[in-house]
Amino acid sequence: MTKILIIGMNYIGDTIFITPLIRAIKKHYKECIIDVANGVRGFDILKENPYINNVIIRDENIIESIKHKNYDIGFTATTAFYGASLLYKAKIPVRVGVNSECRGFLLTKKTSWKKHSRHIVDTILSILKPLNIKEDGINTEIFLNEEENNFGFNKMKDYKNALLVHGGATRISKRYGADNFSRLIEMFYKEYQVPIILIGSKDDEEFSNEMKNRLGNIISDDFTGKLNIRELISVIKHSYALIGGDSAPLHIANACNIYSIGIFGDTLPLIYGARGDKAINIEARKKYCTALKSFHCEYMKRGCKTIDCLKKLTPEEILPNLLKVYNNS
């Protein structure tokens, strides 16, 4: 039986992006054993995944955890140097990944790194080609057990066609802000009186409190800081639509196949956007950033440190996209 190790990602959203790779490998090798070494922040995304045998937390003891398991093939989903290094140190004979960050010498099978020219899922799936493994589609996925699924169903059963609003993100350049969001939701609610529910971590409580202060009874419920990640996934799954920045809830919504409206500041929808028939990506940077500054932020600073472009993106520009989603409800 073929034993396979996949070096995964760190964060929640990034971990979601590796699920099409896992599915394709399992369907190709069928009776194989698949272990995934993943960062602890994305660990919960891989729970209940039927294609995975074991999830190994990637910490300072990771080499000791994997080097004696005699894997036949190792795939690195991450393009960072450490992914290829771990496969090499574990002495896995077939080591597959993207030839990025000068790590190609550590890999036995590699593909070209087309940075900034394709979606991250497509980059990850490209490493299947050297082993002649067929893709099984680009759709990301998250699995829940029955108890977890029932949690979201019961939580949302009285909120038909609910719109989830998430204002948080890892950095300021991804946050649209309570001022803009409240104006957007106020205009939207005049057209569609659907339940408006706030979500997020404890770090997002200031945003949610400001939204409630501004919108009052328009907000039907606030789950901010009240759900663990598996509960949040279930709530999102049983909702109709989600609007937010380039952050974990947007990618969870996309994986759960609900309407996913992403508001993008300094990151590129081309690389990180939601995909499929229920995805809408709104890109402030493309319209409101200069070519020179955009190039500098992406290639030199690895991300912008301001919200300049998001400040210029008005709620009135976003509103038609949101209305279009609910025209189908």
Side-chain angles (χ1 to χ4, degrees):
M1 183 180 291
T2 305
K3 294 184 67 177
I4 296 169
L5 177 68
I6 299 173
I7 306 299
M9 301 290 201
N10 286 321
Y11 297 101
I12 293 171
D14 291 335
T15 301
I16 293 171
F17 291 144
I18 75 172
T19 57
L21 176 75
I22 299 168
R23 182 176 66 244
I25 292 172
K26 184 64 175 182
K27 291 193 175 183
H28 179 82
Y29 289 102
K30 294 182 174 61
E31 299 302 320
C32 67
I33 292 173
I34 295 179
D35 293 348
V36 180
N38 205 82
V40 66
R41 293 179 180 177
F43 177 82
D44 286 327
I45 293 301
L46 301 176
K47 287 181 178 179
E48 304 294 332
N49 190 309
Y51 308 124
I52 300 173
N53 293 85
N54 299 290
V55 182
I56 305 164
I57 296 297
R58 198 182 65 247
D59 55 19
E60 65 273 9
N61 300 314
I62 183 61
I63 293 299
E64 293 300 317
S65 300
I66 64 178
K67 70 179 182 179
H68 299 302
K69 295 196 175 183
N70 299 315
Y71 292 108
D72 301 295
I73 308 173
F75 295 87
T76 171
T78 173
T79 58
F81 188 88
Y82 73 81
S85 177
L86 288 176
L87 298 181
Y88 181 80
K89 290 177 180 178
K91 298 181 179 180
I92 300 174
V94 180
R95 304 181 296 276
V96 191
V98 174
N99 186 13
S100 55
E101 297 199 5
C102 302
R103 65 184 193 162
F105 70 98
L106 298 174
L107 301 169
T108 62
K109 304 283 185 179
K110 52 204 170 202
T111 58
S112 61
W113 189 26
K114 299 178 181 178
K115 189 178 182 182
H116 307 298
S117 64
R118 61 184 175 185
H119 198 278
I120 186 173
V121 171
D122 296 327
T123 296
I124 293 168
L125 288 175
S126 74
I127 68 177
L128 298 171
K129 293 179 182 178
L131 296 182
N132 295 315
I133 299 173
K134 292 183 179 179
E135 298 177 11
D136 187 56
I138 62 172
N139 293 336
T140 55
E141 55 190 347
I142 306 174
F143 298 89
L144 299 171
N145 61 37
E146 184 177 0
E147 181 180 353
E148 291 170 334
N149 186 66
N150 288 339
F151 174 87
F153 174 82
N154 290 327
K155 199 81 171 172
M156 300 302 294
K157 64 183 179 181
D158 296 326
Y159 295 131
K160 184 180 179 182
N161 292 335
L163 172 65
L164 303 183
V165 178
H166 178 245
T170 53
R171 59 180 185 263
I172 191 173
S173 54
K174 294 183 178 185
R175 300 176 198 153
Y176 195 49
D179 182 47
N180 283 327
F181 260 122
S182 61
R183 288 166 53 207
L184 173 63
I185 296 305
E186 186 174 33
M187 289 188 295
F188 166 74
Y189 197 76
K190 290 178 181 178
E191 300 294 329
Y192 290 100
Q193 289 76 50
V194 300
I196 307 295
I197 297 176
L198 304 175
I199 60 169
S201 68
K202 288 188 177 297
D203 293 337
D204 302 321
E205 288 180 346
E206 182 178 348
F207 168 85
S208 294
N209 288 336
E210 183 65 22
M211 289 288 285
K212 288 185 288 187
N213 287 338
R214 290 168 179 257
L215 296 176
N217 292 334
I218 290 178
I219 302 299
S220 298
D221 213 331
D222 178 14
F223 297 155
T224 307
K226 300 174 183 177
L227 306 174
N228 63 42
I229 185 61
R230 300 291 291 180
E231 292 170 340
L232 176 62
I233 292 167
S234 188
V235 163
I236 290 174
K237 178 184 176 181
H238 291 282
S239 301
Y240 183 77
L242 179 145
I243 186 167
D246 176 17
S247 192
L250 176 70
H251 305 304
I252 292 171
N254 198 209
C256 291
N257 196 33
I258 72 165
Y259 284 99
S260 310
I261 306 119
I263 304 172
F264 285 76
D266 69 331
T267 52
L268 298 173
L270 170 67
I271 304 174
Y272 302 108
R275 303 172 93 181
D277 294 339
K278 293 185 176 180
I280 296 175
N281 299 303
I282 303 159
E283 187 176 0
R285 170 174 155 178
K286 186 175 183 179
K287 188 173 182 180
Y288 292 115
C289 187
T290 66
L292 181 61
K293 182 181 178 183
S294 181
F295 179 89
H296 181 260
C297 289
E298 187 66 33
Y299 289 90
M300 307 300 177
K301 295 170 64 179
R302 296 180 69 92
C304 189
K305 309 302 179 188
T306 73
I307 55 172
D308 290 348
C309 59
L310 286 177
K311 283 182 178 178
K312 297 175 182 176
L313 181 67
T314 68
E316 286 80 5
E317 292 176 86
I318 297 175
L319 181 61
N321 297 280
L322 192 52
L323 295 177
K324 182 171 66 175
V325 164
Y326 276 86
N327 285 339
N328 299 322
S329 64

